[in-house]
Amino acid sequence: MSKALQTGPLCTRDALARALRTLGVRPGETLLVHSSLSSLGWVCGGGPDVVRALLDVLGTDGTLVVPTHTSDNSDPTHWSNPPVPETWWAQIRAAMPAYDPRTTPTFGVGVVPELVRNWPGAVRSSHPQTSFAAVGPRAAAIVEGHALDCRLGERSPLARLEEAGARVLLLGAGYMSCTAFHLAEYRIPAPQVDNAFAVMTPAGRRWMTVREVSITEDRFDELGAAFEQAHPVVRGMVGAAHARLFPLADAVAYAATWLTKHRPRTDAT
């Protein structure tokens, strides 16, 4: 039996680069990319050529940043997709491998981030759950100083990206993936939560619990739609993927106001 023919569109490295330039990605800029490889179509060269196309457009003076999150390094008490038996929890906490920015694989963020974290010259931030990886001249400055008790706030790469005037590219990804909105959660009243993970310390592996801001992507889709109505978000197609391009700082500022009004955290302490 013959298999169904690929439907495409066919995306080459050069075609992706042309589409990114048409969208407005500029040489020399700092770009935070949230991506869905499968949304692009059939990519000749696969994920690596998506990364190459992004780097082609950014050029040697540009910096590519991606989320390389590892949410599986967390307390099994909170796992729901799927949950695990309570009788396993203590053993999981004892056995969970400590986060290593050089070797720990990404979890749940797609193919492109996993490729970027392994890219020649890439550097990665030190948070065991919400790290970012970057390639380019501003990479080290963006990822350094990622505090253990600050997943996506002022002492995370998001704040450094804001300072650098970075833009966000949603490449086949929706606003539910937009980590920039989380930075706004640290600037408005929010509850505090305990957050636990396995981390390497000078004394060796340790299961650590820290107290920090509670974050959630709840209603980020509504927030994104409202943001598009209020700000000039560039929209276009890259292959078969819907793409959006906008300044990170604009998204953070708008989110702080919108979340305060439309999604207040009444349990804030």
Side-chain angles (χ1 to χ4, degrees), residues 20 23 25 30-40 50-51 54 58 63-69 106-114 116 129-133 151-152 156-159 161-162 166-183 215 217 220 227 234 236 238 241-249 251-252:
L20 289 165
L23 185 69
V25 177
T30 299
L31 192 68
L32 172 61
V33 178
H34 297 281
S35 60
S36 166
L37 176 62
S38 63
S39 72
L40 291 167
V50 175
V51 179
L54 286 162
L58 292 172
T63 299
L64 172 64
V65 185
V66 296
T68 50
H69 298 175
T106 59
F107 182 82
V109 290
V111 173
V112 170
E114 178 66 9
V116 172
Q129 293 174 340
T130 55
S131 66
F132 291 78
R151 283 172 288 183
L152 298 168
S156 81
L158 288 175
L161 286 163
E162 182 184 45
R167 292 198 292 173
V168 177
L169 171 64
L170 299 180
L171 185 58
Y175 283 106
M176 294 294 283
S177 301
C178 183
T179 51
F181 289 157
H182 287 297
L183 181 55
I215 57 175
E217 65 274 9
F220 274 12
F227 174 64
V234 178
V238 178
H242 293 273
R244 292 173 169 85
L245 182 66
F246 50 88
L248 184 145
V252 175

Side-chain angles (χ1 to χ4, degrees), residues 118-227:
N118 285 295
W119 208 258
V123 291
R124 189 181 186 188
S125 69
S126 58
H127 198 281
Q129 293 174 340
T130 55
S131 66
F132 291 78
V135 177
R138 289 178 287 278
I142 287 167
V143 304
E144 68 182 2
H146 196 168
L148 293 178
D149 61 348
C150 189
R151 283 172 288 183
L152 298 168
E154 306 299 340
R155 292 172 292 152
S156 81
L158 288 175
R160 307 292 79 76
L161 286 163
E162 182 184 45
E163 293 166 0
R167 292 198 292 173
V168 177
L169 171 64
L170 299 180
L171 185 58
Y175 283 106
M176 294 294 283
S177 301
C178 183
T179 51
F181 289 157
H182 287 297
L183 181 55
E185 293 184 291
Y186 286 75
R187 297 178 176 175
I188 60 178
Q192 299 284 306
V193 294
D194 287 332
N195 187 36
F197 38 72
V199 64
M200 189 61 69
T201 73
R205 179 202 175 276
R206 178 184 170 193
W207 182 259
M208 179 181 292
T209 300
V210 298
R211 189 78 173 163
E212 76 132 310
V213 171
S214 169
I215 57 175
T216 173
E217 65 274 9
D218 181 43
R219 298 186 68 185
F220 274 12
D221 52 349
E222 297 175 54
L223 166 55
F227 174 64

Side-chain angles (χ1 to χ4, degrees), residues 85-126:
E86 185 174 351
T87 54
W88 295 6
W89 292 355
Q91 188 173 347
I92 288 171
R93 295 186 191 107
M96 178 70 69
Y99 170 74
D100 184 335
R102 299 165 299 175
T103 61
T104 300
T106 59
F107 182 82
V109 290
V111 173
V112 170
E114 178 66 9
L115 290 165
V116 172
R117 81 163 183 90
N118 285 295
W119 208 258
V123 291
R124 189 181 186 188
S125 69
S126 58

